Amino acid sequence: MLLLLAALAALGALATNIILPAFPSIGEDLRVSSRDLAATLSSFFVAFALGQLFVGPLSDRFGRQRLVLTGLATFIVGSMVCAMASTLPQLIGGRVIQALGVCATSVLSRAIARDLFEGQELARALSLTMVAMAAAPGFSPLLGSALDSSFGWRSTFYVISALALVLAVVYITRLGETHAPDRRSALSLGGVAAGYKQLVFDRRLMAPALSVSLVIGGLYAFFSMAPAILITGFRLSPLAFGLFFASTTFVVFGSGLLAPRLARRWGPVVTARAGVAVALAGSAAMLVGGLEFVTFSVSLTIFLFGMGIFNPLGTAIALQPFALQAGAASALLGFLQMGCAALAITVGGMLSLPPHTALGVVLLASLAASSLCFWSMRLPR
């Protein structure tokens, strides 16, 4: 069950970055530049963020299973459109369809975890899903590079379509519906708007949710700037770049598994505050450490270690009070995460600084704001 939830959470993150190594091949095939292909990422993020706002309330009304399966089917359709695209607008359209489908699995993996677990068990389940969401972007460039070099860039979309189909079958046979009919809420446009308004002004959700989202924004800023820093700056080969990217996932994996154990001993709030403090220290070290591969790697490791502890616990703290609104609360959290990711990537690209320095500035600003938000709120212990 936990592995299935992790896979559902990871699918969107996998689809986000898997095409990055294939940009040269796609550009040559479609006769467009890499700068033009950036629209395939921005369009994906926008559709992903907005789609979540509808998926959450719909799942609270109609149940999780219907939305998960519809989302996976939509994702497969979008992937097929991408695989058969002959122009950039067709590819962008396919990416939008992909995002509208896969946003359901990302949102509902958290909502399903909230349906099934409480307290420490919820933190444990969310730790695994957060690890998967952080690990997938790390491994996806390596997988995308291997598929592109062996079978062509279109093969990446066929592979992730097959993965989505397998997940649908496993979901039907092993999990099924988790949101009981007697716990479902009524659905109306006014009710949805009122529900989101209530959540936005509820500091039990917004303080930890915004804190987690700011950290996620810093993580995606690293993903977007990594090629310029590692390939152009440190002269890593594409293979070495993929291996470095993949190695970062082990840091997140280890800290994510450690988080619930620390929370059992020290409490989730205390442990989460320690995690965000560690991530903040890594961000500061990256900014002042200088442009050297060793210092960059050490600073990044510190940031990822703290992030791996903070994110699952912060997410659990945010969702714990909202059993009856788990879908909407998870959707709002996902919207904030994608919004912060888009903002961090945009700001990093606009800074007239070397990529390494720009990343340090974005990370430090994101983590400082996250720490201030999380530490300033009175949260239950």
Side-chain angles (χ1 to χ4, degrees), residues 133-375:
M133 290 183 69
F139 280 111
S140 56
L142 192 60
L143 175 61
S145 178
L147 291 171
D148 176 46
S149 61
S150 301
F151 306 105
W153 65 270
R154 297 179 191 274
S155 66
T156 60
F157 296 107
Y158 291 120
V159 169
I160 58 180
S161 295
L163 176 60
L165 181 60
V166 171
L167 286 177
V169 173
V170 175
Y171 184 91
I172 293 172
T173 57
R174 296 298 181 92
L175 188 57
E177 184 56 64
T178 61
H179 193 47
D182 60 353
R183 303 184 70 182
R184 297 178 188 178
S185 57
L187 182 66
S188 67
L189 184 60
V192 170
Y196 275 129
K197 180 180 179 181
Q198 181 182 4
L199 291 173
V200 166
F201 287 98
D202 194 326
R203 67 178 186 178
R204 295 176 301 168
L205 173 69
M206 292 304 294
L210 187 56
S211 298
V212 168
S213 300
L214 287 164
V215 176
I216 290 292
L219 177 67
Y220 276 96
F222 161 65
F223 291 154
S224 68
M225 299 181 198
I229 296 172
L230 297 173
I231 296 178
T232 305
F234 294 131
R235 307 292 182 183
L236 297 186
S237 67
L239 177 60
F241 168 76
L243 291 173
F244 179 90
F245 232 69
S247 67
T248 62
T249 63
F250 292 102
V251 179
V252 180
F253 183 79
S255 57
L257 294 180
L258 182 63
R261 298 183 181 183
L262 295 175
R264 281 195 292 270
R265 180 169 183 178
W266 304 105
V269 173
V270 171
T271 306
R273 285 175 173 168
V276 76
V278 171
L280 177 62
S283 304
M286 183 174 294
L287 183 60
V288 302
L291 188 57
E292 296 181 6
F293 182 72
V294 173
T295 56
F296 175 82
S297 300
V298 171
S299 301
L300 180 64
T301 299
I302 296 171
F303 164 74
L304 292 174
F305 183 80
M307 184 210 72
I309 291 176
F310 174 67
N311 273 7
L313 298 179
T315 302
I317 292 168
L319 297 182
Q320 180 66 43
F322 302 98
L324 299 180
Q325 298 170 287
S330 180
L332 185 57
L333 172 61
F335 176 80
L336 289 172
Q337 289 179 350
M338 292 298 102
C340 287
L343 178 61
I345 292 171
T346 301
V347 171
M350 292 174 60
L351 293 175
S352 299
L353 297 170
H356 172 272
T357 306
L359 177 60
V361 170
V362 171
L363 282 183
L364 185 59
S366 298
L367 267 297
S370 175
S371 301
L372 180 63
C373 183
F374 197 79
W375 276 82

